[in-house]
Amino acid sequence: MGSGEVLGGGVIRFFVLAALMFLFCATDGARAFADDEKTYVLDGEIYTKANIINDFLNVAFTERNWNSDLGKEKQKELLDSYFSASPNPSINLHNLGEISEGSVPWLAPHIGEKLNQPLNSRNVLSKWDHDRIYVGIDWPRYVTAEANYFIGTWYTYSGYPENAATPFSIKGAEQHYSLFLEAIKDQVYRISESTGREIGIVEPWNPQDISVNHAKIRIVPSYGLHPRNFKNFFEYGHTFSPEDLEPVLFNGVLFESYTDTYFDGYLLPKKDLSLDISICKIDPSLPPEFFIPLLNECLIRTLGLPGMSVSHNSLLSRWHSPPGQNKVWSKLIFSYNDEEFRSYIFSDQSLNLRHHYSDSPKQPAQNYYGAEKIFELDPSQMNRFRNLPAYDLVMLSLLYCPALKSGMTPEEARGVLEKSEACFQFLERIAAKPSPVSDD
């Protein structure tokens, strides 16, 4: 056989292989394009796969800085004060993490420089890496005798619901526990189904909650929120209450829908960026038609979705917190602008007011800070949000797709989802088939 024949055969094979590869790539590309254009009906709305991926990146990631509600100047002041020698030795800021290990052992690893790279600058995915996730009510009861010494009270676990409040609870917190438990129990099956994780509830009087195996998702009754109360932390000293330590949880990931009056929450990841503990606080004196949707939002966000959705069918949207407004009140008896209002809520007068209401569990939320009425909310939407929307269950299913890993960037997550079929199995199962479009 001549060299020309060999060369000719090789060229032919090359072109045949090239043609096959082109055909394969073209088919694969066409399939990907078709997948992007495929439509799904969730909660009566039509979405494409591309819509869903884009919004998942909105809700699973956030660039919001810890203490962002303080403004840049006070953020810098707090960081400078913490990471330099404190002029007041009694505050012991630099050693706060070590001091807190005995009193709030579940929070201490997240204080200040215990984690070296602030998560807020990385904008990465965080999710639970456990097959079974526990939800608990109020702050963890995993405390020590040292905690009792510092807060000036001796906390003993009696095993009875009426005595289940933690050393850090608001007064009368236990009277609200059944309300929280009933609302959570209504939703755990649907969360389990969408995440592929078993969701357990640790009731406040369960001995598990005073051990290292306490529930890591915490839904906390709280009347008067003061997220990351910077001024109180430095000027009034700190206790070992979790809320007083919050300003220095620099690696925390804020829920973008937080408010400073009725709803607040954050994720605390471990060094590998999987979740270690999630906290969500709700004012339990809110009207039931508002409280239940807020608690449902709590459950979704504590699983690792801190951002804001663009879908009005989502509990992760701005359904109760319009842009630029981080408080529910539409009308205040004060005529202050935002800066003056913030100065007020950090004043002695406001602190005394907050302490008064913290000891008055029956004080209606509508009257807190002198509010005249609650922001006008859509009654039909609140009624729909009494159950978890299908849209949000899809977001949870994507987050817990095994192909997505804690620590991924938005670009990495997008790459996985655009190529994955397995991640969309839950969506394929629950989405309604869209009605054919009429030619009329």
Side-chain angles (χ1 to χ4, degrees), residues 335-347:
S335 59
Y336 298 160
N337 61 32
D338 285 347
E339 189 57 38
E340 288 170 329
F341 181 79
R342 186 157 300 286
S343 298
Y344 168 76
I345 67 171
F346 288 145
S347 68

Side-chain angles (χ1 to χ4, degrees), residues 276-298:
D276 182 50
I277 193 163
S278 294
I279 306 292
C280 186
K281 294 176 277 186
I282 312 180
D283 186 333
S285 66
L286 290 167
E289 63 271 18
F290 188 29
F291 172 82
I292 297 299
L294 280 175
L295 189 136
N296 288 340
E297 181 180 344
C298 262

Side-chain angles (χ1 to χ4, degrees), residues 255-270:
F255 297 170
E256 290 200 18
S257 58
Y258 80 90
T259 74
D260 54 18
T261 48
Y262 66 96
F263 182 82
D264 183 36
Y266 49 89
L267 311 173
L268 294 174
K270 296 184 284 190

Side-chain angles (χ1 to χ4, degrees), residues 400-417:
Y400 284 90
C401 175
L404 289 183
K405 309 292 184 185
S406 292
M408 280 186 169
T409 64
E411 294 76 19
E412 290 170 333
R414 179 186 291 280
V416 168
L417 294 177

